[in-house]
Amino acid sequence: MEFTIQQIAAMLGGQVQGNEQAKINMLAKIQDAKPGQIAFLSNPKYEQYIYTTHASAVIVKQDFVPKKELQTSLILVEDPYSSFTILLEEYHKMISFQKVGIEEPSFLGQGSTCGSNIYRGAFSYIGNNVKVGDNVKIHPNTIIGDNCIVGNNTILHAGVKIYSDSKIGSNCVIHAGSVVGSDGFGFAPQADGTYKTIPQLGNVIIEDNVVIGANTVIDCATLFGDSTIIRKGVKLDNLIQVAHNVEIGKNTVIAAQSGVSGSTKIGENCIIAGQVGIAGHLVIANKTGIGAQAGISKSVEEEGEKIMGSPAYDVKDYFKSYAVFKKLPDLNLRIRELEEKIHSYKSNGHSL
Amino acid sequence: MEFTIQQIAAMLGGQVQGNEQAKINMLAKIQDAKPGQIAFLSNPKYEQYIYTTHASAVIVKQDFVPKKELQTSLILVEDPYSSFTILLEEYHKMISFQKVGIEEPSFLGQGSTCGSNIYRGAFSYIGNNVKVGDNVKIHPNTIIGDNCIVGNNTILHAGVKIYSDSKIGSNCVIHAGSVVGSDGFGFAPQADGTYKTIPQLGNVIIEDNVVIGANTVIDCATLFGDSTIIRKGVKLDNLIQVAHNVEIGKNTVIAAQSGVSGSTKIGENCIIAGQVGIAGHLVIANKTGIGAQAGISKSVEEEGEKIMGSPAYDVKDYFKSYAVFKKLPDLNLRIRELEEKIHSYKSNGHSL
Amino acid sequence: MEFTIQQIAAMLGGQVQGNEQAKINMLAKIQDAKPGQIAFLSNPKYEQYIYTTHASAVIVKQDFVPKKELQTSLILVEDPYSSFTILLEEYHKMISFQKVGIEEPSFLGQGSTCGSNIYRGAFSYIGNNVKVGDNVKIHPNTIIGDNCIVGNNTILHAGVKIYSDSKIGSNCVIHAGSVVGSDGFGFAPQADGTYKTIPQLGNVIIEDNVVIGANTVIDCATLFGDSTIIRKGVKLDNLIQVAHNVEIGKNTVIAAQSGVSGSTKIGENCIIAGQVGIAGHLVIANKTGIGAQAGISKSVEEEGEKIMGSPAYDVKDYFKSYAVFKKLPDLNLRIRELEEKIHSYKSNGHSL
């Protein structure tokens, strides 16, 4: 990418002071920036850097008045941090979608169709009867099974594996090594101690705007016509386990290494920290907050609860109990002491 | 797949009422079924649906007497649910084993042999001197290292990585992204604070009828001639860690995100819940049950124990303690109150 | 590999008793060894085996005097165990680096360069402008994104995925399925309950002599010019999560399934057990020891602390509290008993 300072100012609705025609090809922090880069100044604490920066341009607040001479050009805007964020996002989008075309060898099954402007990396595999939308980026070694659908603008990073019959929405990102649609963990115990595999015949549906981290696993539903469902706007971190028939509600966020057991339904806009375990067949209310490493063994019925512990309950109560837990050896002594006092009192002839 | 109702009835040892020649190509739930599909009715609560279902056939108990007119054909059997399960399994088997042949490009090393009826997906890799049995399905991007053996009817899903010298039994399923045979985590501390890698030279043996979930890791044994062993019929869920020299006994089931440290020997028919951690060099007795998120720090000697907590002990005792843990702030107050009473008693001149 | 006993003795600085010209092609345990293999005897408990072993040679202490006739040759050294370890390491190195050359098809992007003596497995992918050093082994299906650097003698096992702009040092090993450089988990909540993705534009730096297990994930840093950093000599086990902007200090060892949240800085020579969770924005002092399943919610300031629990604190204190936790139901009863005694005392007319 390469833009003039003028072009960037136009994008941000800002005004230029300095060389409008200088070229910008990268974003940077004000203290690290090199010529050709653009930075921002929002926090007055960092003002000193604007007088020494090597950036070709700095985005500043519109009422900024330099106290010394400047070597850099300025773009004056209402909110420098927001403006810089807009640039970051544009840059990120550009980077994320810059790959176009088909690297060979790659595999395209029968009856499969791909939209315009897509990238299919080398050693990527698209099975039969797959529908891939526009602007989709399929990185090297990614596998899409038969009959899958992948919506527009979705990015599948390297080595993602999507089992047959999965449906992935638009504007999703799935990071490297994640698995969508593996068999649910269902086995029926037999009289001789062995287990019979319960066939897993459902699929996975991932709605729009979902982000899935690296090496996360989402199992398919058990029955025909049933789906494990990840609703619109859900964000899942790395190494998460989502079991069969789970549903995760809109805009819920789950941090790394958490696991959700079979058939549990998680509400919308929940915030679930890392290494949390949620048992099967539960219903978790909207806006539930779950602390790190909690173990959820029963449904959460009230919206907005914050829970912690294993099994988990109210986070404040948990911490109050944990504070006493740390003093348990002392409590133990004090109880013994009380007992001794009472005992010695009795042995002194008092009729307690 | 496509069968007549008559053929399916014959398979199930049932009798047809209605159109024997109608074609069935799919299984479904009675309330969702479409023409061409077969459903079952087992629970009387669902009887209403049989009068409105679009299924071409419904499997019912042999003494079923309809109360209204039916649009669907019936197959009368002794146990409708079991019969439906048989169909599910047959269908699942058909789906799982339907891929046959070699997609190109795929890689076959020197001295390696494959049995009949196998599938080698595109970008799958078989190293040198590998023996692959009959009906094996090697999905795209799966890697089998040198000198491995893979038994008959085993399915390796997409992107499975098997290190050299591993032995995989018959009728196994390994899901996408799992790793078999990576180096055990062994390092010798040196005087200067660095660590020297202890070479990991053993292998992994997976016996027959083992199922391994997605993105699970099984490390190889440390010494020559030693093996990390997964016994017959073991079922491992997703994202599980099995360290070097571990042995997991016959028919043991482990849920997602649990981890077993080096050299631990787990007995037969154990049931281990999710996110459990088991320390190294332990022996876990047969039929041990371990609750979710438990941390096992010592061997379990008695068969059939149920344990929980971190460090784990008897599950009932754990829950009794946890119930009191939740009341600890209250207990703390009550102890203080007792102390104050005793103290005030003493200050009132009594000789306690 | 094949060496004479004489060659091996020379390598170890030992002396041969027996047939110097016999060929050795493998290492084994003394009780399992076959002809052509070499074993060692260090622990006197195992002396019996030296009289029956089929090994062609046994490494023994220089003062070893056989009590019976021997069928095997001897190599006399100062410390048989250390000598055997040297052979193990040499053998392991030979095995690890034996693959050389380019298997086809494999992918090499524009402007990328590879050193001498490297291995590029089939279906491995090297993007544009990548610099790969000498003796690097890139196993099948491994992906290296654009602009990466990989140092000399580094081994990338099958299916490793390295995102663009990552820097990997020399003498590193990354095991199968691990991911380096995936996006950090950063989302800004919006007024309507949705989340906006915060672009992740930094990279990952892995210094020399780092070992990373299988299916581990290391996210890139958020800002331009920032890096998630794994310092020299760090050893990470399988299925570990390392979030954006984390720094892990020199020679720190982390066991399987642990997770480190964003921007946390872990010191040098720490030992962190399995399934540990560390919150974000903390500083963990050098030589900290963290027990299995601990949850670290605040910084550790003093060097050499050993902590445990969730939230974690001093390990000895934790175990003391946990010992009392197990007796809580009993404590609960004793408190009630005390209360009843005091109460009955009062109701007996005493003025407590």
Side-chain angles (χ1 to χ4, degrees):
Chain A
M1 66 157 216
E2 195 167 78
F3 296 96
T4 63
I5 293 178
Q6 189 178 37
Q7 285 171 319
I8 292 175
M11 204 189 298
L12 301 175
Q15 286 181 316
V16 182
Q17 281 181 10
N19 178 2
E20 293 194 325
Q21 295 312 314
K23 297 276 210 276
I24 298 295
N25 55 42
M26 191 58 116
L27 299 94
K29 288 192 278 188
I30 192 166
Q31 60 269 47
D32 300 338
K34 294 173 189 157
Q37 300 184 342
I38 186 167
F40 77 103
L41 173 62
S42 179
N43 186 335
K45 264 188 13 190
Y46 291 90
E47 188 180 325
Q48 45 168 317
Y49 293 115
I50 204 168
Y51 307 112
T52 57
T53 186
H54 298 295
S56 294
V58 178
I59 304 170
V60 296
K61 222 168 145 44
Q62 53 202 13
D63 58 4
F64 174 71
V65 181
K67 296 184 189 119
K68 303 183 195 170
E69 210 189 337
L70 294 172
Q71 306 300 322
T72 184
S73 299
L74 299 180
I75 300 179
L76 287 76
V77 300
E78 214 178 296
D79 180 349
Y81 178 68
S82 297
S83 290
F84 193 74
T85 302
I86 288 167
L87 290 188
L88 277 176
E89 280 164 6
E90 286 304 315
Y91 176 74
H92 191 237
K93 214 181 283 175
M94 231 182 302
I95 292 278
S96 302
F97 288 98
Q98 75 185 355
K99 298 241 176 197
V100 176
I102 300 170
E103 292 171 354
E104 293 295 355
S106 56
F107 188 97
L108 184 67
Q110 292 175 348
S112 292
T113 60
C114 292
S116 63
N117 215 24
I118 79 155
Y119 168 58
R120 284 168 45 208
F123 319 124
S124 65
Y125 180 100
I126 298 177
N128 301 323
N129 305 312
V130 173
K131 279 184 198 146
V132 175
D134 296 335
N135 299 313
V136 171
K137 307 300 168 184
I138 301 169
H139 283 260
N141 278 350
T142 283
I143 290 141
I144 305 176
D146 298 343
N147 314 315
C148 286
I149 296 174
V150 179
N152 296 336
N153 310 313
T154 282
I155 300 173
L156 305 176
H157 282 279
V160 165
K161 294 114 197 159
I162 300 178
Y163 280 62
S164 300
D165 304 308
S166 303
K167 292 181 184 169
I168 317 278
S170 296
N171 305 308
C172 293
V173 179
I174 305 184
H175 279 281
S178 280
V179 174
V180 173
S182 40
D183 278 4
F185 197 62
F187 301 95
Q190 305 297 300
D192 63 355
T194 64
Y195 288 86
K196 214 173 180 172
T197 299
I198 298 170
Q200 304 290 314
L201 300 161
N203 76 341
V204 175
I205 296 175
I206 295 176
E207 296 187 350
D208 298 344
N209 305 321
V210 169
V211 175
I212 296 174
N215 282 352
T216 278
V217 178
I218 302 173
D219 282 347
C220 71
T222 302
L223 292 178
F224 270 118
D226 274 358
S227 302
T228 304
I229 304 178
I230 313 295
R231 296 280 178 209
K232 242 177 161 169
V234 165
K235 314 296 177 194
L236 302 181
D237 201 349
N238 304 324
L239 293 162
I240 286 174
Q241 149 76 353
V242 179
H244 50 121
N245 297 81
V246 164
E247 179 177 340
I248 301 183
K250 240 170 48 180
N251 300 322
T252 279
V253 173
I254 305 184
Q257 296 179 318
S258 287
V260 186
S261 305
S263 301
T264 281
K265 191 175 166 175
I266 297 181
E268 303 180 359
N269 289 94
C270 296
I271 297 181
I272 300 174
Q275 296 185 337
V276 165
I278 304 182
H281 299 276
L282 305 183
V283 177
I284 308 294
N286 293 344
K287 299 188 180 169
T288 299
I290 305 182
Q293 297 189 323
I296 316 304
S297 59
K298 58 178 197 194
S299 291
V300 176
E301 283 162 24
E302 223 173 304
E303 251 188 46
E305 276 194 69
K306 310 264 169 280
I307 58 176
M308 177 98 187
S310 179
Y313 61 104
D314 181 81
V315 64
K316 280 185 203 152
D317 290 340
Y318 177 79
F319 277 118
K320 280 181 200 157
S321 281
Y322 197 75
V324 184
F325 171 85
K326 289 166 113 171
K327 300 188 298 185
L328 277 182
D330 174 53
L331 247 63
N332 195 26
L333 284 180
R334 285 158 60 194
I335 292 168
R336 191 166 308 161
E337 228 168 334
L338 283 167
E339 287 169 337
E340 278 163 12
K341 279 183 183 163
I342 299 273
H343 183 74
S344 74
Y345 184 69
K346 272 177 77 180
S347 30
N348 287 350
H350 294 270
S351 62
L352 201 68
Chain B
M1 66 155 217
E2 195 167 79
F3 296 96
T4 63
I5 292 178
Q6 191 177 35
Q7 285 171 319
I8 292 175
M11 201 188 300
L12 302 174
Q15 287 181 315
V16 181
Q17 279 181 12
N19 178 1
E20 292 194 326
Q21 294 314 313
K23 298 276 210 278
I24 299 297
N25 55 42
M26 191 57 117
L27 298 93
K29 288 192 278 190
I30 191 166
Q31 59 270 46
D32 300 338
K34 294 173 189 159
Q37 301 184 340
I38 188 167
F40 77 103
L41 175 62
S42 179
N43 185 336
K45 262 187 15 189
Y46 291 88
E47 188 181 325
Q48 44 166 318
Y49 293 114
I50 203 169
Y51 306 112
T52 56
T53 187
H54 296 296
S56 294
V58 178
I59 303 170
V60 296
K61 221 169 144 43
Q62 54 203 12
D63 59 5
F64 174 72
V65 181
K67 295 183 188 123
K68 302 184 195 171
E69 209 187 337
L70 294 172
Q71 305 300 320
T72 182
S73 297
L74 300 181
I75 299 178
L76 288 77
V77 300
E78 215 178 294
D79 179 349
Y81 178 68
S82 299
S83 290
F84 192 74
T85 302
I86 289 167
L87 290 189
L88 277 177
E89 280 164 6
E90 286 304 316
Y91 175 76
H92 192 236
K93 216 180 284 175
M94 229 181 305
I95 293 278
S96 303
F97 288 97
Q98 75 184 355
K99 298 241 177 197
V100 176
I102 300 169
E103 292 169 356
E104 293 297 353
S106 56
F107 189 96
L108 185 67
Q110 291 175 348
S112 293
T113 59
C114 293
S116 63
N117 215 25
I118 79 154
Y119 168 59
R120 283 168 46 206
F123 318 124
S124 66
Y125 181 100
I126 298 176
N128 301 324
N129 306 313
V130 174
K131 280 185 198 147
V132 176
D134 296 335
N135 299 313
V136 171
K137 307 300 167 185
I138 301 169
H139 283 261
N141 279 349
T142 283
I143 290 141
I144 305 176
D146 298 343
N147 314 315
C148 288
I149 297 175
V150 180
N152 296 335
N153 310 313
T154 282
I155 300 173
L156 304 176
H157 281 280
V160 165
K161 294 116 199 158
I162 300 177
Y163 280 62
S164 299
D165 304 308
S166 304
K167 292 182 186 169
I168 318 278
S170 297
N171 306 308
C172 292
V173 179
I174 304 185
H175 278 281
S178 281
V179 174
V180 173
S182 39
D183 278 4
F185 197 62
F187 301 95
Q190 305 297 301
D192 63 354
T194 65
Y195 288 86
K196 215 173 179 174
T197 298
I198 298 170
Q200 304 290 313
L201 300 162
N203 75 342
V204 175
I205 296 176
I206 296 176
E207 295 188 349
D208 298 344
N209 305 322
V210 169
V211 175
I212 295 175
N215 282 351
T216 278
V217 177
I218 302 173
D219 282 347
C220 71
T222 302
L223 293 178
F224 270 117
D226 274 358
S227 303
T228 303
I229 305 179
I230 314 295
R231 294 280 177 212
K232 242 178 163 170
V234 165
K235 315 295 176 194
L236 302 181
D237 203 349
N238 304 324
L239 293 162
I240 286 174
Q241 150 77 351
V242 179
H244 50 123
N245 297 81
V246 164
E247 179 177 340
I248 301 183
K250 239 169 52 179
N251 300 322
T252 279
V253 173
I254 306 184
Q257 296 178 316
S258 287
V260 186
S261 304
S263 302
T264 281
K265 191 175 167 177
I266 298 180
E268 303 180 359
N269 289 95
C270 295
I271 297 182
I272 299 174
Q275 296 184 337
V276 165
I278 304 182
H281 299 276
L282 305 183
V283 178
I284 308 294
N286 294 343
K287 299 188 181 167
T288 299
I290 304 182
Q293 298 188 321
I296 317 304
S297 58
K298 56 176 199 197
S299 291
V300 176
E301 283 161 25
E302 222 173 304
E303 251 190 43
E305 275 195 69
K306 309 264 169 282
I307 58 177
M308 177 99 188
S310 178
Y313 61 105
D314 180 82
V315 64
K316 281 185 202 150
D317 290 340
Y318 176 80
F319 278 119
K320 279 181 200 156
S321 279
Y322 198 76
V324 183
F325 171 85
K326 289 167 113 171
K327 298 188 301 186
L328 276 182
D330 175 52
L331 244 66
N332 194 25
L333 284 180
R334 285 159 59 194
I335 291 169
R336 190 165 309 161
E337 227 167 334
L338 283 167
E339 288 170 336
E340 278 162 12
K341 279 183 184 163
I342 299 273
H343 183 74
S344 76
Y345 183 70
K346 273 176 75 178
S347 33
N348 286 349
H350 294 271
S351 61
L352 202 67
Chain C
M1 69 155 214
E2 196 168 77
F3 297 96
T4 64
I5 292 176
Q6 190 175 36
Q7 286 171 318
I8 292 174
M11 202 187 302
L12 301 174
Q15 287 182 316
V16 181
Q17 280 181 11
N19 178 0
E20 292 195 326
Q21 295 313 315
K23 298 275 210 278
I24 299 296
N25 55 44
M26 190 59 115
L27 299 92
K29 288 191 279 190
I30 191 165
Q31 61 270 45
D32 300 337
K34 294 173 189 158
Q37 301 183 342
I38 187 166
F40 77 103
L41 174 62
S42 179
N43 186 336
K45 263 187 15 189
Y46 290 90
E47 186 180 327
Q48 45 168 318
Y49 292 116
I50 204 168
Y51 306 111
T52 57
T53 187
H54 298 296
S56 294
V58 178
I59 303 169
V60 295
K61 223 170 145 40
Q62 52 204 13
D63 59 3
F64 174 72
V65 181
K67 297 186 187 116
K68 304 184 198 170
E69 209 188 339
L70 294 172
Q71 305 300 321
T72 184
S73 299
L74 299 181
I75 299 179
L76 288 76
V77 299
E78 213 178 297
D79 180 348
Y81 179 69
S82 298
S83 290
F84 193 74
T85 302
I86 289 167
L87 289 188
L88 278 176
E89 280 164 5
E90 286 303 317
Y91 175 76
H92 191 237
K93 215 181 284 175
M94 230 182 304
I95 292 279
S96 302
F97 288 98
Q98 75 183 356
K99 299 241 176 196
V100 176
I102 300 170
E103 292 169 354
E104 292 298 353
S106 56
F107 188 97
L108 184 68
Q110 292 175 347
S112 292
T113 59
C114 292
S116 64
N117 214 25
I118 80 155
Y119 168 58
R120 284 169 44 208
F123 319 124
S124 65
Y125 181 100
I126 297 177
N128 301 323
N129 305 313
V130 173
K131 279 184 200 148
V132 176
D134 296 336
N135 298 314
V136 172
K137 307 301 168 183
I138 302 169
H139 283 261
N141 279 349
T142 282
I143 289 140
I144 305 177
D146 298 343
N147 313 315
C148 287
I149 297 174
V150 180
N152 296 336
N153 310 313
T154 282
I155 300 174
L156 305 176
H157 281 279
V160 165
K161 293 115 199 158
I162 299 178
Y163 280 63
S164 300
D165 303 307
S166 304
K167 292 182 186 170
I168 318 279
S170 296
N171 305 308
C172 293
V173 179
I174 304 185
H175 279 280
S178 280
V179 174
V180 173
S182 40
D183 278 4
F185 197 62
F187 302 95
Q190 304 298 301
D192 63 355
T194 64
Y195 288 86
K196 216 174 179 171
T197 299
I198 298 170
Q200 304 290 315
L201 299 162
N203 75 342
V204 175
I205 296 175
I206 296 176
E207 296 187 349
D208 298 343
N209 304 323
V210 169
V211 176
I212 296 175
N215 283 351
T216 278
V217 177
I218 302 173
D219 282 346
C220 71
T222 301
L223 292 180
F224 270 117
D226 273 358
S227 302
T228 303
I229 305 178
I230 314 295
R231 295 278 179 214
K232 243 178 161 170
V234 165
K235 315 296 177 193
L236 302 181
D237 201 350
N238 304 325
L239 293 162
I240 286 174
Q241 150 76 353
V242 179
H244 49 123
N245 296 82
V246 164
E247 179 177 338
I248 302 183
K250 241 170 48 180
N251 300 323
T252 279
V253 174
I254 306 184
Q257 297 178 317
S258 286
V260 186
S261 305
S263 301
T264 282
K265 191 175 165 175
I266 298 181
E268 302 180 0
N269 290 94
C270 296
I271 297 183
I272 300 174
Q275 298 184 337
V276 166
I278 304 182
H281 299 276
L282 306 183
V283 177
I284 308 294
N286 294 344
K287 298 188 182 169
T288 299
I290 305 182
Q293 299 189 322
I296 315 306
S297 58
K298 56 176 198 197
S299 291
V300 175
E301 284 162 25
E302 222 172 305
E303 250 190 45
E305 276 195 68
K306 309 263 170 280
I307 58 177
M308 176 99 188
S310 179
Y313 61 106
D314 181 82
V315 65
K316 280 185 203 151
D317 290 339
Y318 177 81
F319 277 119
K320 278 182 203 159
S321 280
Y322 197 76
V324 184
F325 171 86
K326 288 166 113 171
K327 299 188 299 185
L328 277 182
D330 175 53
L331 245 65
N332 194 26
L333 284 179
R334 283 158 61 194
I335 292 169
R336 191 165 309 160
E337 228 167 333
L338 283 167
E339 287 170 337
E340 279 162 11
K341 279 183 184 163
I342 299 273
H343 183 74
S344 76
Y345 184 70
K346 272 178 76 179
S347 32
N348 286 348
H350 293 272
S351 61
L352 201 69

